[in-house]
Amino acid sequence: MTPLLLALALGATPAQAGYGDVNSLGLPTANDRALHLWTNAARVAPSDFTAWYDCSMDSWQDYEKVPQVPISMDYDLVEAAVFHSDDMQKNNHFAHESSDGTSFAARLARFYSSGFIGENIAYGYSNEFSALFEGWMCSDGHRANIMLPDWIELGTGVVGTYYTQDFGGGAADTDAPVKMGTHWPLDALADAEFYADWVDSDPPARLLAVVDGRAEPMTLEHGAEDMGIFHVALSHDSADCHSYWFYWETEAGDSGHFPEEGSYLYGSGCADAFGDEAADVMWVMGQEGGPDGGADGVGGVGGDGPYDVEDIKMVGCATLPGPAGLGLALLGLGLVLRRRQD
């Protein structure tokens, strides 16, 4: 067992991170965030993705056809998903039980204390979107997990082509209207799309992707204005390293950032731009620009000048019969358990 996996298995507590920030274990990774974002997209707008389903929604349970609230991220569940996906990959193992025989419930208990838990696993899909919409959403047990109204928290992760979703019924780590945001595709260079979910009593007063210090308004792509997925596509002159974060304002006058304090990275040359440590995790602690920044974006909301790169390490990302036509793609049984609390 690697030192990281041993630390996770023993329940080591990483340095505290603001909601959405990359913690001292290097989580969540871009893959983790993408799987989470597409999970929430399926929840808020299940009928928007029928072109990708290898099944008919007519066979779904009634509640699975109804938009559900986006789920917030929980770092403990992310770490649990990292551990399981990494274990499956390293040991050529595909099951809810760990490779050493530890049960699903016992494994999650090392990380997460809520008594209401669930898990989906998949293997062999080309990316997070494919695993979600071409796989899980046309598998009865997995779709039932994804669309269950009772979930409050989610940890997702990807290691190679192993995907894990760990669901929980505990208390949310944030009350912010943005639960997850990411860029797509994950290997974007000059051109990229940005997605962020939203849930509030009203549509956002402002929801912006702040990319290289410049604020770009986002518009509704899936779902409803008060509960949906917002989007903006951007094109750059070069494939250099780019940084981004999201800024939001509610109609009630509240505002905030996702991630709270840092910036995600994409593109090439990130080591030259921000240093090796930032390039390892595609993340920097700091935010350039904001919605009211100048031409270079510096000086707006969150514009604190130069980045302060955290000393964080890269870790492996973590993330019920397979649908036809997906080759090696496989799905594990979706599990839900109300675990007894002693």
Side-chain angles (χ1 to χ4, degrees), residues 42-47 57 60-69 146-149 227:
R43 285 177 63 87
V44 303
S47 63
M57 291 183 67
W60 294 15
Q61 299 181 68
D62 288 343
Y63 83 87
E64 296 170 349
K65 304 175 186 178
V66 178
Q68 306 293 345
V69 173
I146 290 167
M147 299 303 297
L148 194 68
M227 191 175 79

Side-chain angles (χ1 to χ4, degrees), residues 48-318:
D48 279 15
F49 301 94
T50 54
W52 297 94
Y53 298 150
D54 191 25
C55 60
S56 170
M57 291 183 67
D58 293 342
S59 65
W60 294 15
Q61 299 181 68
D62 288 343
Y63 83 87
E64 296 170 349
K65 304 175 186 178
V66 178
Q68 306 293 345
V69 173
I71 315 173
S72 67
M73 182 185 69
D74 179 80
Y75 284 94
D76 293 334
L77 287 174
V78 172
E79 291 167 27
V82 172
F83 180 83
H84 193 52
S85 289
D86 198 50
D87 176 47
M88 288 191 294
Q89 184 200 45
K90 283 183 168 57
N91 293 287
N92 192 27
H93 173 77
F94 187 65
H96 287 288
E97 295 75 22
S98 298
S99 61
D100 65 0
T102 301
S103 71
F104 153 70
R107 167 170 48 83
L108 274 184
R110 297 171 177 172
F111 301 90
Y112 187 73
S113 60
S114 171
F116 188 32
I117 52 175
E119 181 172 89
N120 287 342
I121 58 174
Y123 165 73
Y125 291 88
S126 59
N127 59 44
E128 295 75 17
F129 184 97
S130 177
L132 205 298
F133 295 108
E134 296 180 326
W136 283 326
M137 288 300 284
C138 275
S139 174
D140 292 347
H142 298 95
R143 182 178 62 249
N145 260 352
I146 290 167
M147 299 303 297
L148 194 68
D150 299 330
W151 298 130
I152 304 297
E153 301 183 287
L154 174 65
T156 56
V158 184
V159 176
T161 59
Y162 288 86
Y163 303 84
T164 299
Q165 294 171 309
D166 282 328
F167 301 90
D173 288 351
T174 183
D175 58 2
V178 174
K179 310 302 182 185
M180 183 52 60
T182 191
H183 72 280
W184 191 258
L186 296 183
D187 60 357
L189 295 174
D191 302 324
E193 300 184 62
F194 300 85
Y195 294 89
D197 55 31
W198 178 269
V199 57
D200 193 43
S201 57
D202 297 298
R206 283 204 289 183
L207 181 55
L208 311 170
V210 184
V211 184
D212 294 342
R214 292 178 177 272
E216 303 288 346
M218 305 180 74
T219 58
L220 182 68
E221 183 80 359
H222 300 292
E225 292 279 349
D226 60 350
M227 191 175 79
I229 304 295
F230 287 72
H231 164 264
V232 63
L234 298 177
S235 180
H236 300 278
D237 294 333
S238 72
D240 295 338
C241 187
H242 306 287
S243 68
Y244 71 96
W245 52 283
F246 300 92
Y247 174 81
W248 54 266
E249 289 180 11
T250 67
E251 289 290 349
D254 297 323
S255 64
H257 304 187
F258 179 89
E260 287 188 4
E261 299 177 5
S263 300
Y264 304 127
L265 304 177
Y266 71 97
S268 63
C270 291
D272 292 336
F274 298 106
D276 291 340
E277 292 163 345
D280 281 347
V281 293
M282 297 301 280
W283 157 267
V284 288
M285 178 56 80
Q287 295 177 341
E288 180 185 15
D292 303 312
D296 61 359
V298 176
V301 172
D304 296 326
Y307 291 92
D308 178 19
V309 180
E310 282 192 319
D311 182 16
I312 48 184
K313 306 298 182 183
M314 183 63 175
V315 300
C317 330

